[in-house]
Amino acid sequence: MHAVITALPGDGIGPEVVAEGRRVLEAVGERFGHTFDMREALIGGCAIDAVGTALPDETLRLCRESDAVLLGAVGGPKWDNPDAPVRPEQGLLGIRKALGLFANLRPVTLHPRLIAASPLRPERLQGVDLIVVRELTGGIYFGEKGRDTTPDGGESAYDECVYTTAEIERIVRTAATLARQRRKKVTSVDKANVLETSRLWRSVTTRVMRDEFPDVHLEHMLVDACAMHLIRRPSDFDVIVTENMFGDILTDEASMLAGSMGMLPSASLGAPGDTGRTTRMGLYEPIHGSAPDIAGKGIANPLATILSVALLLRHSLGLEREARAVETAVWRTIEDGIVTADIAAPDERPATTTDVGAAVAARVIVG
Ligand code: IPM
Ligand code: MG
């Protein structure tokens, strides 16, 4: 196949880990006979420095012409002021919205080697294999927001949270379709005892699941209870579906089950067939941030980005065999002890970012 992919390395360790993602993608292309036409563009802090905005028009144009986007990370101390008019995060939120990437998939699986890195007791982690499907273009993130003055001379601020039936239906369908390929269980997370958006969420979810996915088990859970159960009995979860902000918070919590943030990939998907192509537009990125403290040292773990490349192959290009080849190569690299400091055992010499990327690329084989 021939696919066009835009790389957005971004800030901090972004460029280092994206370089390794690209290396693995090239290895896949070579061995499986595909052409991946790679382009690169600016996003986040580096874009602010170069052209004064976190999401330049040129970047958006390139992404729109692509089959998929591979992103590193945005942000850093230089652009950290939350009151600044231009901020790196605007690049991320802007691209999600502009490309219609409403479904954010964040899988949490655990290599046995990482059990020791998790703050949880090993027996709690047995069998953890869950995926959070977070709604990504609605809710409080994108509602009207603003400031007012109060009669006493103080200030007030507001952020509106809105969800429509159509927005809920499409994310629930994405989650249930995934569950069908897994353990056929969906946990829908809301705050229906307090929020009106959550009450709509719950009734739409119940209807869609009953009418379209009778073979998939549905449970509803309040978000505070979910935060607790993720720690108490994480292996009970299969697919969790939830709104934008709950998903943001729960996925940081869930990432700790896996020990290192350096291992977790993510996929943000648009509607299938949205572009009139056979591919599904998606943006793929590690869930970790730009880690400015270790940037440029060659010690960042590239596996989350490389696993994001596997998700790209699977969800945007429909290349399941190739996706598995990458995941297997990652697994073998870990087994062979070629890992960065964040997951290396105390008696092991840590490998560099490029060592790990090269080792995975070398292990990509046509199975
Ligand atoms: C995430 C991040 C972003 C979000 C920030 C950087 C805007 O926390 O992808 O989870 O809140 O969505
Ligand atoms: Mg977050």
Side-chain angles (χ1 to χ4, degrees):
M1 103 175 298
H2 177 264
V4 180
I5 294 160
T6 298
L8 306 176
D11 307 316
I13 59 170
E16 298 163 56
V17 293
V18 165
E20 301 315 314
R22 291 183 62 163
R23 188 202 298 270
V24 172
L25 206 48
E26 267 160 38
V28 170
E30 250 165 50
R31 272 155 237 166
F32 287 82
H34 303 300
T35 317
F36 301 124
D37 184 356
M38 299 287 307
R39 310 166 176 194
E40 211 167 283
L42 296 172
I43 194 166
C46 60
I48 294 177
D49 288 351
V51 297
T53 137
L55 182 59
D57 292 343
E58 172 67 3
T59 298
L60 205 49
R61 192 183 63 75
L62 280 175
C63 292
R64 284 212 167 97
E65 288 172 0
S66 308
D67 297 297
V69 179
L70 180 65
L71 186 139
V74 298
K78 188 173 169 194
W79 312 279
D80 246 1
N81 175 11
D83 291 324
V86 284
R87 298 184 304 278
E89 293 74 22
Q90 291 164 340
L92 205 51
L93 297 179
I95 200 170
R96 288 171 180 171
K97 193 71 172 177
L99 298 179
L101 306 173
F102 67 88
N104 183 219
L105 278 42
R106 296 188 168 179
V108 180
T109 45
L110 219 65
H111 189 280
R113 195 187 163 93
L114 294 176
I115 288 185
S118 173
L120 267 76
R121 286 210 296 274
E123 63 271 24
R124 295 260 152 122
L125 295 168
Q126 288 308 326
V128 168
D129 177 13
L130 64 89
I131 179 163
V132 180
V133 178
R134 167 188 175 195
E135 201 291 325
L136 203 59
T137 51
I140 198 165
Y141 271 59
F142 293 97
E144 216 182 289
K145 56 186 86 226
R147 299 266 181 123
D148 273 321
T149 45
T150 55
D152 66 359
E155 261 194 302
S156 65
Y158 62 92
D159 297 276
E160 203 173 37
C161 184
V162 180
Y163 268 108
T164 65
T165 304
E167 283 174 319
I168 302 167
E169 284 172 346
R170 65 184 182 179
I171 194 75
V172 170
R173 287 188 186 116
T174 301
T177 304
L178 271 171
R180 254 187 193 150
Q181 300 150 18
R182 300 171 46 100
R183 304 200 306 279
K184 293 198 169 56
K185 179 177 170 188
V186 169
T187 305
S188 171
V189 175
D190 62 37
K191 188 73 185 174
N193 51 348
V194 178
L195 302 177
E196 203 52 39
T197 41
S198 281
R199 286 191 271 271
L200 180 66
W201 183 279
R202 196 173 274 218
S203 67
V204 171
T205 302
T206 303
R207 169 175 56 75
V208 170
M209 294 300 291
R210 184 196 58 214
D211 293 352
E212 300 173 33
F213 300 90
D215 53 318
V216 178
H217 176 74
L218 169 68
E219 71 177 356
H220 297 286
M221 196 177 278
L222 295 173
V223 62
D224 46 353
C226 181
M228 175 187 65
H229 290 306
L230 268 173
I231 302 297
R232 207 166 75 114
R233 47 179 183 86
S235 59
D236 280 2
F237 292 100
D238 180 15
V239 177
I240 293 175
V241 63
T242 191
E243 63 103 69
N244 204 344
M245 186 149 83
F246 296 159
D248 177 46
I249 299 168
L250 293 176
T251 50
D252 263 32
E253 185 190 1
S255 78
M256 274 298 99
L257 300 171
S260 172
M261 295 265 273
M263 291 299 297
L264 296 185
S266 80
S268 302
L269 306 176
D274 214 16
T275 50
R277 306 189 183 106
T278 52
T279 53
R280 178 177 190 176
M281 174 45 107
L283 179 145
Y284 301 82
E285 57 178 317
I287 83 154
H288 62 67
S290 58
D293 51 320
I294 60 163
K297 295 188 178 158
I299 59 172
N301 186 348
L303 291 180
T305 306
I306 292 170
L307 289 168
S308 299
V309 165
L311 295 181
L312 184 159
L313 293 164
R314 173 173 296 129
H315 295 289
S316 274
L317 308 186
L319 300 175
E320 178 61 29
R321 220 159 52 99
E322 289 79 346
R324 292 234 172 112
V326 171
E327 287 162 350
T328 306
V330 165
W331 194 270
R332 296 214 171 110
T333 303
I334 297 174
E335 309 267 86
D336 292 342
I338 305 169
V339 294
T340 44
D342 55 319
I343 55 171
D347 57 336
E348 253 171 5
R349 205 167 69 91
T352 65
T353 308
T354 46
D355 289 341
V356 174
V360 176
R363 285 163 181 73
V364 171
I365 48 169
V366 183

